[in-house]
Amino acid sequence: MDDVVLRDAEVVDGSGGPSYRADVVVSGGRITSIVQEAAAAGCQRPSARRELDVEGLVLAPGFVDMHAHSDLALLRDPEHTAKLAQGVTLEVIGQDGLSYAPVDDRTLEEVRRAITGWNGYGEDIDFTWRSVGGYLDRLDHGFDGEGVAVNAAYLVPQGTVRMLAMGWEDREPTPQELDRMRQLVAEGLREGAVGMSSGLTYTPGMYAEDAELTALCRVVAEHGGYYCPHHRSYGAGALQAYEEMIALTREAGCPLHLAHATMNFGVNKGRAPELLALLDDALAAGADITLDTYPYTPGCTTLVALLPSWAGEGGPEAILARLEDDDTAARVRHELEVVGADGCHGVPVAWDTVEISGVADPALASYAGRTIQESADARGEEPWVTARRLLVEDRLGSTILQHVGHEENVRAIMRHRVHTGGSDGILRGAKPHPRAYGTFPHYLGRYVRELGVLSLEECVAHLTSRPAARLRLPDRGLVREGYRADLVLFDPATVAAGSTYEAPRTPPTGIPYVLVDGRFAIEDGRRTDVLAGRAVRRAP
């Protein structure tokens, strides 16, 4: 472990209170001493084996990415600078109801196929685990037994649980199947998961009715976790979808964390105040609610996710069979382009807003960076013909950016008192969303320094102590004596996201130091060989 005093830091401690100048000593993976400038006058300043002059830099708790898709990236890439370079020291994975535990051999293969667009197929990963506890143990050991780049907390994915208990069928579970799902969720929480996620516009999780979700949320509540839904609509039925999640978690007595809580598509332009009023009313009535957002307007998902739910019944091979059948494909098209598929949030798709960000098959690379409309125009064909061909030829592995957000909604929601930061970052693809590499410095540079939407102290609290409180982590999220030394040092005058839509993997600027468990994972702006990240298990 490093034994270092960070000399003359401007401490923004994560509480939301005013900053102060101090010497901060880190030893044994913990913050062992904080001596403020005023208290140090006339007395000996703290010392350590190493001294680092950080005058002019802000010292803050490491940032918590409340919505991450690094489930395989943590095991694939020991550098993981996509997140470390942003100052992220903890990611919450297992998002949107689909991940890699708990599984059996059949389900593992199915889920690998289903979320190839998020994480790749994983042919470079040795899937030695089947349980949640086994996956968390694998993160602990990481690379050669040394761990992984950053810490990670896990949500039991409800869609995967449903897949394991009853396959891909669009129906209510039998009592025995519901009991099996309850058992799987309980086992995952006992093994260390911090809650449960859902993807209610993704199959098979979207087939669950409210009674089924409420039953599972009761289990989550019994074990001290929280429910994190990607709910049923961010478009035409957005407010009703938020109301649904608030009502069912109230009935279950379960804390609620709303994933990527946006108000998108033309039908929701300027409607963020309606969402915030709904949240305020629920909070005033005693509800336990938090949310996360990313500071960008486009969304990001897979191309197959836009399809209507009935097209996904039976899993990936059944989807492909439907797309290859002309009559069924015509029905899919009608629902997408005329009716508004539930997978597209009840809004008829506008192909000029759907940009391909990545493909699984390198032979299809020419699609990346272009909208479906642009590729169709270049081919002289209708957009659906292009989209259908790409879905089939890429075996459902294509990822997209969907340009359907509104800046005024983004700014309004990030100001709310229960807001936290989440990148929702998909790291694969030729042109991934820049949020994957830039969310946290973009908050600090764009929305704090340039626009003044949040003060620096407020913003750091949104990114640190609030998420730590939701995760029930008693010794993270604040710069306090005795707390874990997951820390970031940044220059408030220069910190900024380097990533853009044209160059999405450009690293940020102004973040020279990041410590994970008291060890320098980023030093002088460069990645070290430190692998101090571990699985962060739910507090008993």
Side-chain angles (χ1 to χ4, degrees):
M1 293 291 182
D2 288 309
D3 179 17
V4 61
V5 57
L6 305 171
R7 187 78 73 198
D8 291 320
E10 188 66 26
V11 178
V12 177
D13 67 4
S15 68
S19 66
Y20 58 88
R21 190 179 173 98
D23 294 344
V24 178
V25 181
V26 170
S27 182
R30 299 272 176 175
I31 300 168
T32 56
S33 177
I34 301 173
V35 179
Q36 295 194 37
E37 184 178 47
C43 66
Q44 185 174 358
R45 300 179 73 175
S47 61
R49 285 201 304 267
R50 179 185 177 190
E51 294 192 10
L52 183 64
D53 183 356
V54 296
E55 185 174 8
L57 298 180
V58 166
L59 174 65
F63 304 135
V64 180
D65 189 342
M66 284 295 286
H67 193 101
H69 288 285
S70 301
D71 306 46
L72 297 186
L74 284 165
L75 298 173
R76 174 182 289 132
D77 176 17
E79 297 292 306
H80 201 45
T81 51
K83 295 301 177 68
L84 262 180
Q86 296 184 58
V88 171
T89 58
L90 171 59
E91 298 182 271
V92 185
I93 54 179
Q95 298 285 351
D96 295 328
L98 290 166
S99 191
Y100 306 94
V103 292
D104 56 16
D105 291 348
R106 171 190 61 82
T107 309
L108 176 60
E109 174 59 25
E110 290 173 347
V111 78
R112 289 173 67 181
R113 289 284 309 281
I115 53 176
T116 292
W118 295 355
N119 299 310
Y121 178 67
E123 62 276 1
D124 54 341
I125 302 295
D126 184 9
F127 289 90
T128 55
W129 69 88
R130 294 295 181 269
S131 67
V132 170
Y135 176 65
L136 298 180
D137 288 344
R138 177 68 185 277
L139 291 173
D140 281 341
H141 294 94
F143 297 90
D144 298 324
E146 291 190 65
V148 289
V150 304
N151 299 302
Y154 189 73
L155 296 165
V156 179
Q158 171 257 331
T160 303
V161 165
R162 198 175 208 270
M163 196 187 307
L164 183 55
M166 57 182 293
W168 293 76
E169 296 181 43
D170 183 2
R171 61 172 175 81
E172 292 184 10
T174 66
Q176 294 77 16
E177 289 167 340
L178 184 57
D179 282 345
R180 177 65 173 142
M181 284 190 272
R182 287 193 189 101
Q183 292 166 8
L184 290 166
V185 171
E187 287 170 6
L189 289 160
R190 285 195 294 267
E191 291 167 2
V194 295
M196 181 182 76
S197 74
S198 284
L200 300 180
T201 66
Y202 300 125
T203 55
M206 68 193 305
Y207 300 141
E209 299 293 339
D210 285 2
E212 177 182 331
L213 296 172
T214 301
L216 298 181
C217 282
R218 288 195 177 101
V219 176
V220 174
E222 288 167 5
H223 289 81
Y226 68 92
Y227 181 42
C228 179
H230 165 128
H231 53 264
R232 298 193 195 276
S233 177
Y234 292 85
L239 285 176
Q240 294 88 341
Y242 283 114
E243 289 172 348
E244 176 192 10
M245 295 299 101
I246 291 169
L248 76 83
T249 50
R250 180 186 294 124
E251 183 177 346
C254 184
L256 173 64
H257 180 84
L258 295 164
H260 38 59
T262 56
M263 292 286 286
N264 286 340
F265 301 91
V267 295
N268 289 317
K269 184 176 175 62
R271 298 187 69 190
E274 296 176 58
L275 167 61
L276 301 180
L278 175 67
L279 294 176
D280 286 337
D281 288 347
L283 291 164
D288 182 356
I289 303 174
T290 50
L291 59 87
D292 66 69
T293 69
Y294 46 83
Y296 299 87
T297 52
C300 179
T301 187
T302 56
L303 184 58
V304 66
L306 303 184
L307 303 185
S309 56
W310 59 261
E313 188 174 7
E317 289 303 320
I319 297 172
L320 289 166
R322 292 185 180 103
L323 290 169
E324 289 167 346
D325 177 78
D326 289 343
D327 290 342
T328 309
R331 183 183 166 201
V332 171
R333 176 182 185 175
H334 178 77
E335 200 153 331
L336 270 172
E337 295 185 342
V338 179
V339 177
D342 48 5
C344 197
H345 306 277
V347 178
V349 68
W351 292 115
D352 60 350
T353 69
V354 179
E355 177 187 351
I356 300 301
S357 59
V359 292
D361 183 351
L364 302 170
S366 62
Y367 286 96
R370 307 169 81 182
T371 67
I372 293 291
Q373 185 70 58
E374 288 169 340
S375 290
D377 289 346
R379 289 175 169 270
E381 61 191 17
E382 294 182 334
W384 166 247
V385 176
T386 300
R388 179 187 177 190
R389 178 189 300 110
L390 183 56
L391 284 162
V392 171
E393 292 183 0
D394 206 28
R395 308 292 293 177
L396 313 180
S398 306
T399 50
I400 63 169
L401 303 187
Q402 203 166 7
H403 296 271
V404 292
H406 307 286
E407 179 67 18
E408 66 270 36
N409 287 349
V410 170
R411 297 188 193 186
I413 294 168
M414 74 170 63
R415 292 188 184 102
H416 198 273
R417 66 186 185 278
V418 299
H419 169 267
T420 68
S423 71
D424 195 12
I426 295 174
L427 302 176
R428 67 179 300 275
K431 297 192 74 174
H433 198 305
R435 70 193 186 192
Y437 292 77
T439 285
F440 296 87
H442 198 49
Y443 268 120
L444 297 167
R446 176 68 172 159
Y447 290 92
V448 171
R449 184 179 63 246
E450 295 178 9
L451 298 176
V453 174
L454 295 168
S455 72
L456 179 59
E457 290 84 358
E458 286 176 312
C459 186
V460 168
H462 288 220
L463 307 181
T464 59
S465 64
R466 287 188 190 171
R470 166 52 75 216
L471 296 168
R472 296 178 60 206
L473 302 177
D475 57 356
R476 299 178 194 264
L478 292 167
V479 179
R480 292 280 192 276
E481 290 183 357
Y483 273 56
R484 291 184 179 272
D486 293 339
L487 301 167
V488 57
L489 286 144
F490 61 89
D491 182 348
T494 64
V495 63
S499 58
T500 64
Y501 295 101
E502 293 73 27
R505 289 189 171 87
T506 306
T509 57
I511 305 179
Y513 300 99
V514 181
L515 290 83
V516 179
D517 197 33
R519 301 166 64 189
F520 285 93
I522 299 285
E523 188 168 7
D524 294 325
R526 295 186 296 273
R527 179 73 168 96
T528 70
D529 61 359
V530 164
L531 291 167
R534 300 292 186 272
V536 174
R537 291 166 169 82
R538 180 186 58 85

